Amino acid sequence: MESPLSKAPQKRQVTIFIFLFLLWEVGSVTVKYSILEERDSGSFVSNLENDLGLGIGELAKRGAQILSQGNRQHLELEQKSGNLLLKEKLDREELCGDTDPCILHFQVLVKNPVQFIQGELHLQDVNDHAPEFLGKEILLKIAESSQPGTLFPLEIAQDLDVGSNTVQNYIISSNSHFHLLTRNHSDGRKYPELVLEKALDREEQPEFRLTLTALDGGSPPRNGTCQVLILVLDINDNAPEFAQGLYQVQVPENSPVGSLVIIVTARDLDAGIYGELTYSFFQSPNQVIQAFEINKASGEIRLKKLLDFEEIDSYHIEIEASDGGGLSGKCTVDIEVMDVNDNAPELAMSLLINDIPENSPETVVAIFRISDPDSKDNGKMMCSIQDHLPFILKPTVENFYTLVTEGALDRETRAQYNIVITVTDLGTPRLKTEHNITVLISDVNDNAPAFSQTSYTLLVRENNQLALHIGSISATDRDSGTNAQITYSLLPTQDPHLPLASLVSINADNGQLFALRALDFEALQAFEFRVGATDQGSPALSSQALVRVVVLDENDNSPFVLYPMQNASAPCTELVPRAAEQGYLVTKVVAVDRDSGQNAWLSYQLLKATEPGLFGVWAHNGEVRTARLLSERDAARHRLVVLVKDNGEPPLSASVTLHVLLVDGFSQPYLPLPEVAPERAQGDSLTVYLVIALASVSSLFLFSVLVFVAVKLCRRRRAEPLGVCSVPEGHFPGHLVDVSGTGTLSQNYRYEVYLAGSSETSEFQVLKPMLPNLLGEGADKNTEENRNLRNHFGFN
């Protein structure tokens, strides 16, 4: 098929009328076009953009579309060029019938913003139909007594064309007795009448055969013919006469086939065959012949098919009554079809947007047209939707409605709406039509992720495995799709001393947290950080939550003995008078545990003793006390091993060794240590010195001499200086607090302590060494430090 845009002659055949009733800016424009029928599909009608004064491509940008009434689309819009084209070949007789002019209404819908442009397409008639008679022959009976000038109406020819293309003239073949006149009906139709010019003589010529030709006004003209048979009859004095010249009747359109419409009656005063009447339709169009039938004998007119008010609302029928002598009479029957509410309203959707972004202001959802072919109240309509929906109906033009949102919609509140559009007429009974549409609310990223908790507390035992899953955080997003996809991340901490990146990591997809290294409760009991949850929307939204990790203590540190301290080069020994009572405080073991809770609960017990049952250790405070009264039979030297144990699982422990020396008094100047006096003879000489020292009390002079001699002898015989239990001021030596990385003591400690004083006092007294190199400031300083340490721990 050739493109209609390339046919200049076709363009010239299109007549365009554009009427702008209001300015374009107001949004109410009517365009009118005129085009010949039977044009090929795709034929050019006009350029709509030029007609509306729009720029090139503006209709396409605004999503323009053509809406036609009914189910058939007659026109289409070429988006790129803005040309209005025929979508199909149009037949005026099929679309409009006898109606003239034939106007096809359409609308142009443009969006952004929504506007309606009314359009009319005048479909011009083309002379594509020839006149046609219903029958091939017309029988006309004329009495020979008829006077010249008598008129005899003939059947009319049918022509589906209108205007000048329909029947314009009738002619009859040449003859000596008749000529033809062309007359006009009240409805504009032309009909032929035969005029008698010369008296008839049946004996001379009993019949005539003539040719009747109907001519239309088309170019070139078309014609149709039929034969007219005229029979000359004997004398018939009276013609039939109807009781009424005009019959008027109303028929409901829902009357069944065969229903009686009306009975027409005529009478003839003649007798015999001249008085016998027959009834028939005269010069009736096809619509009448198809819808009604007449009883030739009785004149009853009945329905031949169902009537449709919406198609034809009235009929004009000519009835002819003919007698046997060839005379006839005529009457007119006007039938008015009464409308019945037999058509439910119709709804034609022109525009439907099923997916609407949330948070949008007033948005067009649908544009539709309602119609009801009934008349009066039966054709009046009401349109509504359900209550309590955020949508409203707005009437626009010519039964067009726009369904718009009442305001911004929230998808998280409701993601889908089922809307029922109800169209009801006002007839009796009322008929209605319902149209269901589903509107989906598409998501906009307007909700930030929300954590299930504002803060999380995770408990992790120390010494954990690497990459241990320590817990999970969870956030949800009320949006959907990519707007609800969440990515988790660790946020920078405000504490510059917290190496967060080396402590924990997070799975960005599911929020699982992992420990990157083994945690040490003694180094870090708890730490806090923030995690972020960010969606994938545009723009991306995020939220934060606080995570607190609490490190749970494991029993991984043995107790640490603070007192007595180990001094391998100078161990300490506790002195206990033999006169001490039961429960006498010998010393107190002081220990700590770097763990916490029950792991740091310490208990003390005597693990080993030189003489079991002589000394005891209090389990809760570490005090070493005599368990019974001392006697002369008890050995002088005792070695005690005290075990310090925590309450962990499994329990860890440390031990300390104590040396206790039982003495009769504290005036002896020389007390050898067990490690220092390796021989038995050395212990005996010490006893001698003690006896001599006690005997010298009676005389101050003798006491001084004996003391001087004892000191001299002590210096000579001792290979090592006498040790003292002293604690340096300040912190403890480094080798005592080094826990080899795990917090457990590296070795057991061994001390020897002397407890000085009498049975009446429990204060510590440190004996000065008898060696000359220990006399002086150094010994005094050690003695003072030892007292300070005892006072610091509360020993008596």
Side-chain angles (χ1 to χ4, degrees), residues 252-270:
E253 64 172 327
N254 61 347
S255 299
V257 174
S259 298
L260 178 64
V261 177
I262 195 173
I263 300 176
V264 294
T265 57
R267 65 175 184 171
D268 194 320
L269 298 179
D270 292 325

Side-chain angles (χ1 to χ4, degrees), residues 116-159:
F116 280 96
I117 302 132
Q118 299 298 315
E120 295 180 1
L121 179 63
H122 180 199
L123 194 57
Q124 296 179 354
D125 186 46
V126 172
N127 191 27
D128 54 347
H129 295 87
E132 183 178 357
F133 289 93
L134 296 179
K136 296 298 183 182
E137 184 180 80
I138 299 174
L139 177 61
L140 185 61
K141 297 177 181 180
I142 301 176
E144 64 177 340
S145 60
S146 298
Q147 297 297 319
T150 304
L151 302 177
F152 301 95
L154 300 178
E155 291 286 344
I156 63 174
Q158 307 290 333
D159 193 330

